[in-house]
Amino acid sequence: MRERLKERRRGKVDVRIGKKGVTESLLEEIKRRLEKHGVVKVKVLKSARASPGFNREEYAEEIARAVGGVLREVKGYTFIIVKKDR
């Protein structure tokens, strides 16, 4: 798991959240990638964070909870979610 986490930190973003925001299909895609790889890197684009009062940590935490993962790291508007240990 540590190797995958290192790989994600250095690698490209897996999922981008755009102007449509968090949709059911976006959450399904994150869940699918989380099941397959155990680690998902997500970036929130400018168009998604335009709403007043946007808080990146809360936003990332809500998404992690919604997909059944654990928020591992937030850097800028990019965050990493890892699969929960059973």
Side-chain angles (χ1 to χ4, degrees):
M1 179 61 104
R2 285 180 186 257
E3 285 303 312
R4 285 189 182 161
L5 187 58
K6 280 183 184 179
E7 206 176 281
R8 282 295 82 207
R9 280 185 181 137
R10 286 176 287 164
K12 294 181 180 178
V13 173
D14 293 315
V15 178
R16 289 172 180 78
I17 301 174
K19 62 184 170 189
K20 290 183 181 178
V22 180
T23 61
E24 195 60 41
S25 60
L26 178 94
L27 293 175
E28 288 301 318
E29 178 64 17
I30 295 172
K31 283 180 194 177
R32 188 182 66 73
R33 287 176 182 258
L34 202 55
E35 280 300 313
K36 186 173 182 180
H37 303 290
V39 180
V40 181
K41 189 172 182 179
V42 182
K43 181 172 181 127
V44 184
L45 301 177
K46 278 184 185 179
S47 56
R49 52 184 197 247
S51 62
F54 177 84
N55 182 310
R56 61 188 181 175
E57 284 86 9
E58 288 176 13
Y59 195 75
E61 192 64 55
E62 286 176 29
I63 293 170
R65 228 183 347 266
V67 298
V70 176
L71 181 62
R72 184 58 168 244
E73 177 180 295
V74 178
K75 277 192 173 182
Y77 293 100
T78 303
F79 55 93
I80 296 176
I81 299 173
V82 295
K83 193 173 178 179
K84 271 188 185 174
D85 293 332
R86 300 214 183 254

